[in-house]
């Protein structure tokens, strides 16, 4: 028997009232990604993108934009009338497909691909009409309770609101992850009726409907309830975020990264870190950040979509966003790199230095209290403390170009557009408005005046007056 085709439907149309948010629930983030992105990633373990559909409704445009890059399909649910209604919206599109239909909820971001494969395999092997994932919770409140017969098959799912006190004490809960024989699901989904209390169509009622028709509904019981967490409130959102961060740190540590006090460190799902890199406490590695081997990321540093080659040191409390640091370079403490800043190999950027759209060549140094914006600095140059590129005239941005091995004295003001050639000197405290040719010394400051004996003569004058 060839393995059965599996189609996945992810329900992501609800608003999520309990979040108390204007944003659709599945767009909230945990582990640096939206909740629904995590579910779509897990689904890839059982179905290719062209057999995966997300049902959207609330803020459908935004949800679809987030998922578009994954190449999956979309069905719109018009009016959010419950999970059964959401799945029924796919009927026209999917009812002629045979094989298996797996249904996932977009608010369960901790699902593992392994579990989904297990569910598919159990459903394929058992011949049941459907199989759903259950677990036992110490505190099952908020979840649907699963009623089982003596054989361990599911006879019904009772939602918390409709449960009798006796049913409420049941600790076996519905995870909201189901695998159906597709033809049976589509034949019987029309039999869902509105819940008497809420008026919604509950997908959970399918268990009872299928059982009533003499079909079997099996349960796959999972011992670790963590991965089935459904996010309904911001408290659960924080719980999921913590679990995802822990997982990411463990994965990196097992792959050869040292993380000091991992419980304080925040690393997004897609971040990559090379072996023997050390991450100090309270660092945040976000977005598409990529870090090479043998780097050090200092305490409290924040790297967002940053690229670090090998043996880079980012000292504590440094911010790097959408920027790149080449092999052997050192940046910080308290430095800020943003908007495609590029620090070349073995270059140095020190405290209170900001680079914006600026490139520092190989081995160049800018160690203290400096702003370099829209600038290119040649290899081996030294930028003195307090240097400022005046890149903005109030209307437009202008470039500053500095050649190789230039020496810019402390507290220089470089008024762009301006070009400073290679092997040049700029005297400390200069205001540079004109080009400095290769090999020249440029001075742009008031001359010092010295008046010998001035202090004493002033005192004498004052004494004469008061007599
Ligand atoms: C649901 C289950 C419950 C289970 C729990 C597991 C039902 C009736 N109940 O409850 O048995 O224990 O999940 O986490 O299914 N959605 C739509 N359209 C709608 C309504 C919801 O697409 O009209 C989507 C939501 O965006 C969400 C998912 O379905 O991603 C689940 O909806 P939610 O309201 O969170 O269901 P629960 O009350 O948690
Ligand atoms: Ca939920």
């Amino acid at each position: 028997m060839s393995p059965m085709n599996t189609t996945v439907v992810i329900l992501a149309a609800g608003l999520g009232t309990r979040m108390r948010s204007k944003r659709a629930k599945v767009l909230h983030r945990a582990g640096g990604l939206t909740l629904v992105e995590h579910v779509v990633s897990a689904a890839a373990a059982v179905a290719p993108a062209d057999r995966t559909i997300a049902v959207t409704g609330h803020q459908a445009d935004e949800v679809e934009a987030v998922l578009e890059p994954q190449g999956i399909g979309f069905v719109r649910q018009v009016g959010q009338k419950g999970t059964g209604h959401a799945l029924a919206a796919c009927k026209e599109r999917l009812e002629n497909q045979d094989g298996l239909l797996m249904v996932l909820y977009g608010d369960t971001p901790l699902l593992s691909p392994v579990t989904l494969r297990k569910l598919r395999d159990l459903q394929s092997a058992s011949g049941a009409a459907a199989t759903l994932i259950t677990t036992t919770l110490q505190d099952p409140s908020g979840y649907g309770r699963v009623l089982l017969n003596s054989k361990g098959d599911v006879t019904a799912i009772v939602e918390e609101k409709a449960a009798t006190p006796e049913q409420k004490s049941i600790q076996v809960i519905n995870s909201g992850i189901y695998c159906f024989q597709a033809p049976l699901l589509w034949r019987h989904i029309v039999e869902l009726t509105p819940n008497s209390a809420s008026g919604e169509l509950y997908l959970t009622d399918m268990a009872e409907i299928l059982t009533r028709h003499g079909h079997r509904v099996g349960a796959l019981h999972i011992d670790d309830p963590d991965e089935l967490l459904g996010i309904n409130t911001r408290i659960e959102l924080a719980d999921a975020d913590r679990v995802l961060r822990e997982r990411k740190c463990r994965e990196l540590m097992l792959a050869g990264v040292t993380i000091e006090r991992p419980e304080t460190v925040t690393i997004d799902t897609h971040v990559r870190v090379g072996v023997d890199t050390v991450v100090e406490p309270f660092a945040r590695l976000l977005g598409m950040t990529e870090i090479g081997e043998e780097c050090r990321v200092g305490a409290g540093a924040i790297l967002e979509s940053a690229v670090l080659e090998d043996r880079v040191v980012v000292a504590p409390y440094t911010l790097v966003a959408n920027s790149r640091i080449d092999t052997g370079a050192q940046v910080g403490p308290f430095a800020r790199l943003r908007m495609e800043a590029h620090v070349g190999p073995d270059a140095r950027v020190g405290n209170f230095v900001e680079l914006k759209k600026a490139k520092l060549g190989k081995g160049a140094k800018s160690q203290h209290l400096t702003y370099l914006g829209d600038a290119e600095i040649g290899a081996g140059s030294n930028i003195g403390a307090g240097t400022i590129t005046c890149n903005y005239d109030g209307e437009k941005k202008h470039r500053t170009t500095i050649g190789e091995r230039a020496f810019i004295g402390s507290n220089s003001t470089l008024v762009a557009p301006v070009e400073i050639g290679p092997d040049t000197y700029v005297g400390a405290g200069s205001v540079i408005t004109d080009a400095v040719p290769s090999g020249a010394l440029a001075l742009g400051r008031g001359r010092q005046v010295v008046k010998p004996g001035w202090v004493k003569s002033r005192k004498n004058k004052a004494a004469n007056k008061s007599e």
Side-chain angles (χ1 to χ4, degrees):
M1 197 182 85
S2 65
M4 274 196 259
N5 277 328
T6 304
T7 300
V8 176
V9 172
I10 297 165
L11 306 186
L15 171 63
T17 322
R18 289 161 281 184
M19 293 294 279
R20 303 206 178 278
S21 173
K22 288 178 199 136
R23 271 179 98 58
K25 176 168 68 179
V26 298
L27 290 175
H28 283 263
R29 285 171 181 273
L33 296 179
T34 62
L35 298 180
V36 68
E37 278 173 281
H38 290 286
V39 180
V40 172
S41 298
V46 289
D50 63 3
R51 292 185 74 108
T52 302
I53 286 175
V55 178
T56 60
H58 271 285
Q59 292 164 20
D61 290 339
E62 288 93 326
V63 176
E64 290 173 14
V66 162
L67 298 177
E68 200 82 69
Q70 316 231 28
I72 66 168
F74 300 104
V75 166
R76 296 254 173 135
Q77 179 193 15
V78 182
Q80 276 60 59
K81 301 199 199 79
T83 49
H85 181 250
L87 184 58
C90 301
K91 185 167 185 285
E92 221 173 286
R93 172 107 159 235
L94 296 179
E95 66 184 334
N96 295 321
Q97 257 175 340
D98 40 344
L100 301 178
L101 179 78
M102 198 178 283
V103 181
L104 309 176
Y105 291 167
D107 65 352
T108 53
L110 304 180
L111 276 182
S112 85
V114 177
T115 302
L116 296 186
R117 275 193 221 108
K118 241 192 238 169
L119 175 65
R120 177 198 56 193
D121 295 346
L122 178 62
Q123 168 59 36
S124 298
S126 74
T131 307
L132 59 100
I133 296 183
T134 60
T135 192
T136 303
L137 293 182
Q138 288 309 311
D139 173 16
S141 54
Y143 288 91
R145 311 297 205 281
V146 178
L147 310 189
L148 301 166
N149 66 16
S150 55
K151 284 187 246 159
D153 290 335
V154 179
T155 54
I157 300 168
V158 188
E159 290 304 300
E160 168 128 326
K161 275 187 194 148
T164 63
E166 200 185 324
Q167 287 169 334
K168 272 192 187 144
S169 69
I170 296 173
Q171 289 176 313
V172 179
I173 61 99
N174 168 33
S175 67
I177 302 151
Y178 321 82
C179 193
F180 296 94
Q181 284 192 35
L184 282 176
L185 183 269
W186 295 124
R187 188 184 313 154
H188 294 294
I189 197 167
V190 290
E191 295 167 36
L192 287 175
T193 52
N195 179 274
S196 56
S198 66
E200 292 187 351
L201 297 183
Y202 287 171
L203 179 55
T204 44
D205 289 344
M206 284 312 299
E208 206 191 328
I209 291 169
L210 291 169
T211 308
R212 204 193 307 136
H213 285 280
H215 297 293
R216 203 163 76 71
V217 176
L220 170 61
H221 197 87
I222 299 278
D223 291 327
D224 171 19
D226 252 15
E227 70 165 284
L228 305 177
L229 180 68
I231 310 303
N232 296 323
T233 68
R234 299 204 197 222
I235 295 172
E236 288 154 342
L237 185 70
D239 287 342
D241 186 66
R242 184 176 38 74
V243 172
L244 287 163
R245 304 294 181 193
E246 263 170 35
R247 273 191 198 165
K248 183 70 186 182
C249 281
R250 292 176 76 87
E251 171 199 315
L252 289 174
M253 290 189 284
L254 287 171
V257 178
T258 294
I259 303 180
E260 298 171 356
R261 304 276 310 279
E263 69 279 13
T264 68
V265 165
T266 303
I267 305 181
D268 281 357
T269 304
H270 289 317
V271 169
R272 299 214 298 250
V273 186
V275 298
D276 291 325
T277 283
V278 177
V279 180
E280 296 180 5
F282 295 100
R284 293 168 63 83
L285 313 180
L286 310 176
M288 301 303 285
T289 291
E290 270 177 54
I291 298 177
E293 300 182 355
E294 296 174 58
C295 294
R296 177 170 280 272
V297 179
I302 304 177
L303 274 49
E304 180 156 19
S305 297
V307 176
L308 274 54
E309 291 187 348
D310 298 337
R311 296 186 301 287
V312 166
V313 176
V314 173
Y317 307 107
T318 291
L319 310 185
V320 182
N322 302 302
S323 294
R324 170 179 188 97
I325 308 175
D326 291 346
T327 305
Q330 297 188 15
V331 174
F334 299 101
R336 182 175 187 205
L337 270 48
R338 62 189 179 98
M339 289 176 80
E340 290 152 50
H342 183 172
V343 177
D346 302 316
R348 298 278 183 278
V349 174
N351 40 231
F352 309 108
V353 173
E354 176 180 355
L355 263 65
K356 183 222 101 179
K357 282 192 183 166
K359 185 175 180 211
L360 216 50
K362 184 175 178 357
K365 291 180 183 164
S366 176
Q367 297 273 50
H368 337 264
L369 303 160
T370 288
Y371 173 61
L372 298 171
D374 303 297
E376 172 135 16
I377 290 101
S381 288
N382 188 84
I383 309 296
T387 297
I388 304 289
T389 54
C390 306
N391 60 325
Y392 187 48
D393 62 10
E395 279 172 25
K396 278 199 205 119
K397 302 281 165 71
H398 301 281
R399 288 190 66 77
T400 299
T401 313
I402 299 174
E404 297 186 353
R405 298 169 303 279
F407 180 96
I408 310 297
S410 294
N411 206 28
S412 290
T413 302
L414 311 177
V415 182
V418 69
E419 206 165 317
I420 297 169
D423 302 298
T424 47
Y425 268 74
V426 169
S430 291
V431 176
I432 299 295
T433 52
D434 298 324
V436 180
S438 163
L441 163 69
L443 296 167
R445 62 190 186 205
R447 269 184 182 280
Q448 184 170 332
V449 178
V450 176
K451 298 189 176 177
W454 178 86
V455 176
K456 200 173 176 191
S457 70
R458 186 178 72 154
K459 270 192 192 142
N460 290 343
K461 266 186 212 154
N464 291 340
K465 245 186 216 160
S466 66
E467 267 168 17

